[in-house]
Amino acid sequence: MTLDGFDSGKSARITGVDWDALAQDEGKRLKALGVDEGAEVAILHRGVFGGRDPIAMRLGNMTIAIRRMHARAIHVEAA
Amino acid sequence: MSRKRTAALVGNPNSGKSALFNALTGARQKIANYAGVTVERKAGRLTLPSGEPVELLDLPGSYSFDAASPDEAVTRDVVKGTFEGEAVPDVLVVVLDAANLEQHLVFAQEVLELGRPTVVALNMVDLAERDGLTLDPAALSEALGVPVIPTVAVRRKGIAELNAAIAEAETHADEQAHTRWHLTLPERRLSAKHMARGAILSKSTRHTIENGVDKILLNPWIGPVVLFGLLFVIFQAVFAWATPFADLLEGGVGVLSAGVTASMAPGILRDFLTEGVLAGVGSVVVFLPQIVILFAFILVMEASGYMARAAFLMDRLMAGVGLSGKSFIPLLSSFACAIPGIMATRSISDPKDRLTTILIAPLMTCSARLPVYAVIIAAVIPQTSVGPGIGLQGLVLFALYVAGIIGAMVVALVLRRTVTKGAASGFIMELPRYQLPRIKDLAIGLWQRAWVFLRRAGTIIFLATIALWVLLSFPKAEPGESQLDASYAGVVADTIHPVLEPVGFNREMSLALVPAIAAREVAVSALATTYAVDAEDEDVAAEGVTAKIAALWSLPTALAFLAWFVFAPQCLSTIAVARRETNGWKWPIVMVVYLFALAWIAAGLTYWIAVSAGL
């Protein structure tokens, strides 16, 4: 299951990230922000216009905005 | 002491680095660019307790030495001492957000691995306390092996202690150098976790205010309403609140001009000072109040943490044309003036996104176009009402703004599929914590923006004005002949007129476009001069010229002129800034050519449709 399909507000643990599906700089940025196997995340908010994009997620003590395409590359399980 | 010592602030974005920089240096800051790149170099003077001055650098916020943006590359190269022309800082001050230790300690370890003399500022401890965290700086200092000073930059707490620690940092350097680990990112992350846990004495389960506030401000339905409400207020403020100050400045320039006229003998030098320098530079200075007001809003939005939320809300809309929410901030600034707007594109990390944003920034109706719109609309659009409280004139003005925005979106869409083609840009952005901005930090920021605007636009406008004045003033007209007809500018106008005639422009309009290259609002006074209206003041000139236009221009011609100015190639200052920010002439030329083509087509379509509709 990817983060994109995960319920808002619930904690998820990252089981893996498709780094190849991400642009190189974006992968670097996400990694630097702490997106990696084992990290706990939760979707806080979703945008309104078509496609419910972008997504605001909680990661540690931070709120980070990402696009759905990034969320689709992040595999998670319920934490 | 042979050389002035230097120190540098490094840390993650949103660690409160800039506020700390302000607290340490006060308003004595120097802003320039790093050589060869358009990354802002912010330096200031820090005075150590001993009285020794130290140059303090505020390095761009960075998540890692593995740079994902030009900003981060600058930080890495300066800190490592590999940036050409930049001395390696003697002391590094690592800034950490106390409430976000686990994340910020990752980069901090990377910096500490360099083994340079380092001090850690544990910043924003007040916000951490607000979140229910109690921290132990001593434990953190033990774990990191360097001094850790708790600070609250916005309240100026811990600044003296930090200053003292910077002064002593170099003497500790030898003990620190050999104790450094070299870890991989996952290892660093793990040790950051342990260090953060060790430094947190107690943690209550208080809810952060972010979540609650974001529930409203990022709500899919309420969020956009709040944002557009705020934008409406900003526009009202920019155009209504600024007027008295702009009038005051305009009056001041008028008084100065009258003074010069009275105290100098008539002649070329006097004409040069009044018609050239004062009229030209004055016409730019008049926009300062609008720019200051717009930037006051932008700075408050940024400092409070709301700007990132605005970018979040706008992202979907911008994604539709191949941009991201990050382009929203520069485009918002461009409504005051494209110059600060183009400079603000520096925050966009994707180069193609940034280029596209620079290219469309001039399509946001800048305040310089307002006088042109106002004069033409007053002359040809009847003052009738089309609905309760909605006047036709206001509606036309609104339509011109919307035309610019839609034009920008269409152009962005086309550019992203052609010249700035590339992978769809992403949007990854930390949404910082909400914070009450401090007035002094806002004042410093405002002063810097205002000064950059005045200096940059002022010098360019100054030179352009001299050139135009020469073109307009020579050769001197024979008696009975109009000066504009006789001048070189007249010759230029005659040359371009055949191009503009098909889209309904008369010769006076073609003439007016020449000086409008310096600053768009000059089109009004140029028309006024052409119609031999004897008036010094632009407002008086406007009244006179309004009557002339109403009498002499057909409605299709006037509408074509309005359509032209929605897209018209921008002023020289904008072109110069675009050249500077894109490091070459290629993109400014692309910009001018496409805007000219668009303006011509828009004016033509407007004219031909209006004529065939029998207007």
Side-chain angles (χ1 to χ4, degrees):
Chain A
M1 171 171 242
T2 68
L3 180 61
D4 185 39
F6 208 77
D7 285 348
S8 292
K10 290 191 183 153
S11 267
R13 186 178 301 108
I14 299 180
T15 53
V17 182
D18 265 338
W19 296 112
D20 295 338
L22 300 166
Q24 199 197 356
D25 280 355
E26 295 180 359
K28 267 188 199 174
R29 173 59 32 92
L30 286 176
K31 207 173 237 176
L33 283 165
V35 173
D36 217 336
E37 230 178 291
E40 273 188 32
V41 293
I43 291 182
L44 296 178
H45 312 278
R46 283 172 177 271
V48 62
F49 310 105
R52 310 272 285 149
D53 214 3
I55 291 170
M57 67 171 179
R58 170 145 303 276
L59 174 62
N61 225 345
M62 290 181 293
T63 310
I64 293 162
I66 57 171
R67 289 253 180 96
R68 284 184 77 176
M69 60 170 186
H70 304 126
R72 281 191 208 108
I74 300 172
H75 297 273
V76 294
E77 59 181 19
Chain B
M1 181 107 315
S2 57
R3 187 177 71 87
K4 194 167 167 185
R5 293 210 293 160
T6 58
L9 295 181
V10 276
N12 279 36
N14 306 312
S15 57
K17 231 161 30 64
S18 292
L20 194 61
F21 182 71
N22 285 343
L24 285 166
T25 63
R28 296 158 299 181
Q29 305 179 3
K30 245 176 75 186
I31 298 184
N33 270 4
Y34 287 98
V37 286
T38 48
V39 173
E40 210 164 69
R41 182 188 190 275
K42 246 169 102 181
R45 203 174 72 169
L46 164 77
T47 309
L48 295 182
S50 64
E52 184 198 338
V54 169
E55 188 189 46
L56 185 69
L57 270 181
D58 183 13
L59 289 169
S62 199
Y63 291 106
S64 158
F65 282 148
D66 188 10
S69 76
D71 285 37
E72 288 186 324
V74 165
T75 298
R76 176 196 62 208
D77 294 345
V78 171
V79 167
K80 292 192 168 178
T82 54
F83 198 98
E84 209 169 312
E86 200 70 52
V88 58
D90 297 308
V91 179
L92 297 176
V93 183
V94 173
V95 188
L96 303 177
D97 173 1
N100 203 359
L101 271 183
E102 204 179 311
Q103 163 67 13
H104 285 208
L105 278 170
V106 177
F107 180 52
Q109 292 176 78
E110 221 178 336
V111 176
L112 284 167
E113 280 177 16
L114 297 173
R116 306 276 315 152
T118 308
V119 178
V120 169
L122 188 59
N123 199 23
M124 309 204 276
V125 281
D126 60 330
L127 291 189
E129 277 162 23
R130 189 181 80 185
D131 288 353
L133 288 177
T134 313
L135 295 164
D136 182 1
L140 191 59
S141 174
E142 179 113 337
L144 290 171
V146 294
V148 173
I149 316 293
T151 56
V152 183
V154 288
R155 311 279 166 252
R156 302 298 188 262
K157 278 188 199 151
I159 302 306
E161 292 84 345
L162 181 61
N163 197 334
I166 293 171
E168 286 172 23
E170 261 182 296
T171 57
H172 298 305
D174 297 337
E175 314 154 30
Q176 290 169 16
H178 60 276
T179 59
R180 291 300 149 216
W181 350 256
H182 287 278
L183 304 176
T184 63
L185 178 63
E187 288 169 345
R188 241 179 250 135
R189 199 166 285 295
L190 195 67
S191 82
K193 196 176 220 167
H194 289 309
M195 280 193 270
R197 285 202 182 139
I200 294 170
L201 288 176
S202 72
K203 189 177 183 178
S204 69
T205 48
R206 212 177 306 174
H207 271 289
T208 59
I209 67 159
E210 273 66 34
N211 223 338
V213 177
D214 275 344
K215 275 215 170 76
I216 299 163
L217 293 182
L218 294 185
N219 178 289
W221 305 105
I222 306 169
V225 173
V226 172
L227 176 60
F228 286 106
L230 178 66
L231 291 180
F232 181 77
V233 171
I234 294 175
F235 273 79
Q236 282 297 312
V238 166
F239 292 113
W241 302 357
T243 312
F245 300 101
D247 288 349
L248 211 67
L249 277 173
E250 212 162 32
V253 173
V255 168
L256 215 61
S257 181
V260 171
T261 310
S263 61
M264 284 177 68
I268 289 208
L269 185 63
R270 192 181 83 174
D271 287 352
F272 169 72
L273 284 176
T274 56
E275 292 168 16
V277 177
L278 284 172
V281 176
S283 70
V284 177
V285 173
V286 165
F287 291 100
L288 188 63
Q290 288 188 333
I291 286 175
V292 167
I293 289 173
L294 183 68
F295 270 120
F297 278 102
I298 289 176
L299 285 171
V300 171
M301 282 168 80
E302 274 176 352
S304 63
Y306 183 69
M307 193 56 108
R309 270 82 183 174
F312 180 88
L313 291 169
M314 294 300 288
D315 180 63
R316 188 66 193 88
L317 228 52
M318 307 296 288
V321 297
L323 294 172
S324 84
K326 286 189 176 176
S327 295
F328 171 69
I329 302 163
L331 293 178
L332 181 63
S333 309
S334 299
F335 279 104
C337 176
I339 296 167
I342 287 174
M343 292 195 290
T345 60
R346 289 172 178 187
S347 61
I348 304 172
S349 47
D350 183 274
K352 282 178 174 160
D353 259 25
R354 174 161 187 255
L355 182 59
T356 312
T357 310
I358 289 176
L359 290 174
I360 64 169
L363 286 171
M364 301 293 124
T365 301
C366 68
S367 52
R369 266 174 280 187
L370 197 62
V372 182
Y373 288 170
V375 166
I376 312 288
I377 287 174
V380 298
I381 306 292
Q383 212 172 347
T384 50
S385 173
V386 290
I390 307 169
L392 183 59
Q393 292 188 334
L395 200 64
V396 170
L397 184 66
F398 181 70
L400 291 170
Y401 272 85
V402 171
I405 297 170
I406 293 173
M409 296 300 120
V410 172
V411 170
L413 202 63
V414 173
L415 287 174
R416 287 299 270 157
R417 272 159 185 70
T418 54
V419 285
T420 58
K421 202 169 173 169
S425 54
F427 176 65
I428 300 172
M429 195 176 193
E430 189 182 338
L431 303 182
R433 309 150 58 69
Y434 287 108
Q435 221 180 142
L436 207 60
R438 193 170 173 276
I439 298 293
K440 199 176 170 196
D441 289 334
L442 292 178
I444 291 174
L446 263 188
W447 161 247
Q448 285 166 350
R449 312 277 162 126
W451 176 242
V452 165
F453 169 77
L454 277 183
R455 190 185 53 190
R456 208 163 290 180
T459 44
I460 293 159
I461 284 277
F462 180 75
L463 294 174
T465 305
I466 293 172
L468 277 164
W469 179 81
V470 170
L471 286 176
L472 282 162
S473 307
F474 300 100
K476 284 290 171 205
E478 301 292 322
E481 191 187 9
S482 123
Q483 175 57 40
L484 269 153
D485 278 348
S487 69
Y488 296 119
V491 177
V492 174
D494 282 339
T495 319
I496 62 170
H497 186 53
V499 179
L500 296 168
E501 208 169 8
V503 297
F505 282 27
N506 56 40
R507 191 162 167 280
E508 291 80 5
M509 289 156 73
S510 300
L511 260 175
L513 293 186
V514 178
I517 296 167
R520 281 181 261 213
E521 70 280 14
V522 179
V524 174
S525 53
L527 281 170
T529 321
T530 319
Y531 285 120
V533 177
D534 186 42
E536 287 280 24
D537 187 88
E538 229 174 59
D539 281 347
V540 180
E543 278 171 30
V545 83
T546 303
K548 284 282 184 189
I549 289 170
L552 295 173
W553 292 17
S554 69
L555 185 56
T557 292
L559 292 178
F561 198 65
L562 287 176
W564 173 273
F565 268 93
V566 171
F567 300 102
Q570 57 282 47
C571 60
L572 286 178
S573 331
T574 306
I575 298 168
V577 169
R579 193 206 76 81
R580 197 191 144 98
E581 297 293 314
T582 58
N583 279 323
W585 280 111
K586 182 182 167 194
W587 294 110
I589 289 169
V590 168
M591 184 156 85
V592 171
V593 169
Y594 100 74
L595 284 171
F596 188 87
L598 267 187
W600 195 87
I601 293 166
L605 282 179
T606 309
Y607 180 71
W608 301 320
I609 291 170
V611 167
S612 58
L615 290 173

